[in-house]
Amino acid sequence: MAAGQPGVSALGLARSENPAIPSLADIRASARRTLSVEARGLAALGEAIEGELGEALDAAIGLVEQAKGRVIVTGLGKSGHIGRKIAATLASTGTPALFLHAAEASHGDLGMVTQDDTLLAISWSGETSELGDIVHYAGRFGVPLIALTSNAESTLGRAADIALVLPRVEEACPNGLAPTTSTLLQLALGDALAVALLERRGFSASDFRVFHPGGKLGARLLKVADLMHQDTEMPLVRLGTAMSEVLIEITGKRFGCCGVVDDAGKLAGIVTDGDLRRHMSGELLVTPVERVMTSSPFVVDPFEMASVALGQMNRRPVPITVVFAVEEGRPVGILHIHDILRAGVV
C-alpha cells in the first residue's frame, strides 16, 4: 500500500489512514449508552402494555388459544431472525409454532399454512414488501393474522386482524439505522406472548421436559422415576428376617442398604451401614431385622424432580447417598446419588 493511501477494509470500505482507536473507557461508555437506550425502550414497552398494546396482546393470546393449528411466525431480515427465536420459544413452551421465511413463502412455502393456523407477521415498518403475498394469502383463505409492528397505519398494520403496535423508540445504533432497540422490543414482546400462553395452558416443568430431553436443561428436568432402579434390583426383605439374610441382600444388590417391608408390602424401615455399626455384636446375624433397622426412613416421590431429591438428600441432618421412592407407602424404586450425578443433575 502506497504511503498516504487510505486503508481499505475486508469489505472494500475506505477507512482513515490514522483511525482513532477507542480507549477502553470509550468502549465501556459506548456499551453503557447502548444499554441505557435499550433500557428506555423496554420501559416504553412496559408503559405501552398498560394501554392499547396490552388490550391487543390479550386479544392475540385469545386468538392463539382458540386456534386448532399452529402459530406461523414470519418476517425478513433482522425481524426474521427475531421471528425464528419467537417461534422456537413458543414451540418449546407448549404452543405449536414454526417459522416461515417471508421470501420463500412466495415460492411454495405458503403450503405450510392452513386455515387452522394463526399467522404472526413481524415488520418494524409494516411495509416489508416480501410479506405482501403472505398478507394476501391470509385474507384470501381466512387465516387469522397478527401483526407485530411499530406502525398501525402501515400496510401490514391495516391488514391484520390484531395489530401489536410497538412504541417508536430510539435505536441504540448511533446512526439510527441498525435495528437494535427495535429488535429487542420485538423479542421482548414475543417472550411476553409465549410466557403468557405458557401460564394460561398450565405448562409445567414436567411438560417442559418433554420438549427438552437433551443437554443440561434436560438433565435438570429428569424425575426420580427416570433414574431409579426397580423391581428385583431393589434390596428388600420382610419384617422378621434374620440379619444374616439381610447382609446377603445388602451385599448382592450393592446399594449399601436394605429396605424392610411389612406384610402389606409397605416400607417399614431401612438398614444402613450405620445401623450395622451401632448393633455390631456376636448375636447380630441371628437378630431380627426390625431390631436393627431405622424405622420411618426418609423417602421421595418417584415423580419428584431428581434435582429436588438431590437437594433433599444433601440437606438431611446427616447427608444420605441412597433413598427409596415410594407410592402409597410401597417402595417402587431405589435411587443412589451416583445415578443422579451420572445423569448430569447438579
Side-chain angles (χ1 to χ4, degrees), residues 37-48 167 169 181 184-185 188-189:
V37 170
E38 294 192 341
R40 290 198 297 271
L42 286 174
L45 180 62
E47 293 174 4
V169 291
T181 313
L184 178 63
L185 265 58
L189 195 62

Side-chain angles (χ1 to χ4, degrees), residues 249-296:
E249 184 74 359
I250 292 175
T251 303
K253 299 299 174 63
R254 300 187 178 185
F255 285 98
C257 70
C258 184
V260 184
V261 296
D262 59 21
D263 292 337
K266 293 188 176 182
L267 190 67
I270 187 172
V271 178
T272 67
D273 57 351
D275 295 316
L276 295 176
R277 288 194 299 271
R278 284 189 291 272
H279 293 84
M280 189 63 67
S281 71
E283 299 181 353
L284 175 64
L285 296 181
V286 297
T287 303
V289 66
E290 55 266 31
R291 291 175 55 183
V292 177
M293 72 182 190
T294 297
S295 301
S296 303

Side-chain angles (χ1 to χ4, degrees), residues 21-290:
I21 300 175
S23 67
L24 286 178
D26 292 334
I27 292 171
R28 291 171 185 171
S30 172
R32 286 193 296 270
R33 283 195 301 272
T34 297
L35 296 176
S36 177
V37 170
E38 294 192 341
R40 290 198 297 271
L42 286 174
L45 180 62
E47 293 174 4
I49 286 288
E50 300 301 322
E52 293 183 1
L53 177 56
E55 296 173 2
L57 185 62
D58 291 342
I61 290 168
L63 185 62
V64 173
E65 282 184 318
Q66 294 170 10
K68 297 178 182 179
R70 307 148 302 175
V71 177
I72 310 296
V73 187
T74 187
L76 197 69
K78 301 301 184 294
S79 293
H81 295 311
I82 296 299
R84 288 184 186 277
K85 166 57 170 65
I86 292 174
T89 301
L90 287 168
S92 70
T93 53
T95 300
L98 59 82
F99 177 75
L100 172 62
H101 192 286
E104 296 292 344
S106 302
H107 298 276
D109 283 3
L110 275 172
M112 298 179 184
V113 185
T114 74
Q115 290 176 302
D116 289 333
D117 296 329
T118 302
L119 276 162
L120 173 60
I122 307 174
S123 170
W124 182 255
S125 68
E127 299 295 346
T128 303
S129 59
E130 289 84 354
L131 290 175
D133 287 339
I134 297 173
V135 171
H136 176 72
Y137 183 91
R140 179 182 176 187
F141 293 101
V143 181
L145 175 63
I146 301 170
L148 182 54
T149 181
S150 68
N151 187 357
E153 297 304 315
S154 63
T155 301
L156 178 61
R158 284 184 278 108
D161 297 288
I162 299 170
L164 300 174
V165 182
L166 298 169
R168 296 292 186 91
V169 291
E170 175 189 0
E171 297 286 11
C173 167
N175 298 317
L177 298 175
T180 44
T181 313
S182 56
T183 49
L184 178 63
L185 265 58
Q186 291 172 343
L187 180 60
L189 195 62
D191 285 344
L193 177 66
V195 172
L197 286 165
L198 176 156
E199 293 174 343
R200 293 275 293 179
R201 297 180 193 278
F203 194 80
S204 67
S206 297
D207 299 318
F208 205 82
R209 162 85 173 109
V210 174
F211 301 124
H212 299 77
K216 198 69 175 178
L217 184 55
R220 286 177 52 198
L221 296 171
L222 286 170
K223 298 176 183 176
V224 169
D226 296 321
L227 302 174
M228 69 187 188
H229 303 265
Q230 304 176 66
D231 303 323
T232 58
E233 293 185 89
M234 290 187 290
L236 293 173
V237 297
R238 289 191 174 276
L239 288 170
T241 302
M243 282 301 300
S244 58
E245 295 183 41
V246 175
L247 288 172
I248 292 173
E249 184 74 359
I250 292 175
T251 303
K253 299 299 174 63
R254 300 187 178 185
F255 285 98
C257 70
C258 184
V260 184
V261 296
D262 59 21
D263 292 337
K266 293 188 176 182
L267 190 67
I270 187 172
V271 178
T272 67
D273 57 351
D275 295 316
L276 295 176
R277 288 194 299 271
R278 284 189 291 272
H279 293 84
M280 189 63 67
S281 71
E283 299 181 353
L284 175 64
L285 296 181
V286 297
T287 303
V289 66
E290 55 266 31

Side-chain angles (χ1 to χ4, degrees), residues 291-315:
R291 291 175 55 183
V292 177
M293 72 182 190
T294 297
S295 301
S296 303
F298 170 73
V299 296
V300 295
D301 189 302
F303 299 104
E304 183 66 87
M305 293 293 178
S307 58
V308 174
L310 176 62
Q312 293 172 339
M313 294 165 72
N314 287 332
R315 287 193 296 271

